[in-house]
Amino acid sequence: MTWDVALHVALRAMTAALALAAFGYGVTRALNVRGDLFRRALRLIGTLLLLGFASLTALDAATVSLRGVAPENELLDWIWVALDALVPAFFLLLIESWRRRDQLEAQLAALSETDPLTGLPNRRGFVARALPAIAAAQRQGAACSVLMLDLDRFKAINDGFGHPAGDEVLRGVAATITEAVRAADVAGRLGGEEFALLLPGDDPMAAGHVADRLRALVADAVPHPAGDGTRVTLSAGVAGLDGATTLDAALAVADRALYAAKAAGRDRVVIG
């Protein structure tokens, strides 16, 4: 094989390899798109073009190798053959920019659904996670319940010891809830000192036991800023959720039960 044939085959093989790499990377990024079929389709079309480009350059390299004659006669011809490699290289950079955009969008979406103080889902994030969990439980014919949890006399903590102390209590409660619940359960901070918990597979009676356990855990594990033996307590309302009940309706029932628990003296659980 003469030097010019070897050089032509090497340049075409490099271009084909880059195009195949860009194709594989592009398919991965296209399949990672969620909820936007149009964007996924455009990315897949672009990757198919790369596959075609790789096939053509590989075919050209094989043809020149078999014939033993390079088509390039002048320096400009060689420059154009070398520049062909920039096409898949450009697509690789473009696909990398897709990855960074996807990553940024995912981070922004996570931030929009996360409470920055406790790390738990906020109201929006709680609903987004709870609805699929409810649907899955209903498909399996399993029971489902929601809890509304509210810290007792939390305003007194903020007013008496300052908001940083109140924030520390909220973080402690959130950590206690997170450690105590199962992987399938969905916890969230709905705002202020109010938390919500979805329990797929638990009927209201079982959910009431969970609420009692959480109440005891918070009292034992979360220190009160007074430091004099005063305990952090919470009240809870429980509601069942069946196929005829929406999440909002169940939360409303649990919220009324929560207020009944407050009215009954706090630090207790009421099943609605």
Side-chain angles (χ1 to χ4, degrees):
M1 182 183 294
T2 60
W3 71 268
D4 55 344
V5 172
L7 179 59
H8 179 95
V9 171
L11 289 172
R12 287 306 197 194
M14 178 183 68
T15 301
L18 284 172
L20 283 174
F23 167 75
Y25 191 25
V27 168
T28 301
R29 299 318 314 164
L31 294 178
N32 281 340
V33 174
R34 295 289 181 266
D36 192 337
L37 295 179
F38 181 69
R39 189 195 296 183
R40 176 184 290 184
L42 285 180
R43 292 185 179 185
L44 286 174
I45 290 172
T47 56
L48 288 175
L49 292 175
L50 284 167
L51 182 60
F53 188 77
S55 301
L56 289 175
T57 51
L59 178 62
D60 179 60
T63 301
V64 170
S65 178
L66 290 173
R67 291 179 178 176
V69 178
E72 292 78 19
N73 296 316
E74 299 179 357
L75 178 61
L76 186 61
D77 297 330
W78 288 107
I79 292 175
W80 280 113
V81 172
L83 287 177
D84 281 348
L86 294 180
V87 175
F90 166 79
F91 272 96
L92 277 170
L93 293 175
L94 177 62
I95 295 166
E96 173 61 13
S97 73
W98 294 349
R99 184 193 67 81
R100 294 184 179 182
R101 174 180 171 175
D102 293 343
Q103 185 179 49
L104 181 59
E105 288 181 347
Q107 290 172 347
L108 290 174
L111 288 173
S112 72
E113 295 184 349
T114 303
D115 171 46
L117 177 65
T118 63
L120 288 175
N122 57 20
R123 180 179 291 272
R124 178 180 176 182
F126 175 77
V127 172
R129 290 161 177 78
L131 291 178
I134 293 169
Q138 291 176 345
R139 283 195 300 269
Q140 298 168 5
C144 208
S145 298
V146 291
L147 308 181
M148 291 291 286
L149 311 167
D150 191 270
L151 298 184
D152 298 325
R153 299 183 176 88
F154 183 72
K155 186 176 184 298
I157 294 177
N158 275 337
D159 292 346
F161 303 96
H163 286 279
D167 289 348
E168 191 62 31
V169 169
L170 290 172
R171 281 191 288 265
V173 172
T176 301
I177 292 173
T178 301
E179 292 173 3
V181 299
R182 303 163 300 187
D185 299 336
V186 181
R189 180 190 176 202
L190 301 193
E193 65 271 25
E194 193 171 57
F195 297 84
L197 185 60
L198 173 76
L199 301 173
D202 287 353
D203 60 21
M205 188 63 66
H209 292 313
V210 172
D212 263 326
R213 183 165 60 88
L214 285 174
R215 188 174 56 82
L217 286 172
V218 166
D220 289 340
V222 181
H224 194 285
D228 58 359
T230 303
R231 300 194 310 168
V232 174
T233 65
L234 60 80
S235 300
V238 182
L241 201 157
D242 56 31
T245 308
T246 65
L247 176 60
D248 286 341
L251 287 173
V253 173
D255 198 47
R256 289 194 293 271
L258 168 63
Y259 278 97
K262 294 279 190 180
R266 299 183 175 87
D267 192 19
R268 65 194 63 214
V269 177
V270 171
I271 299 176

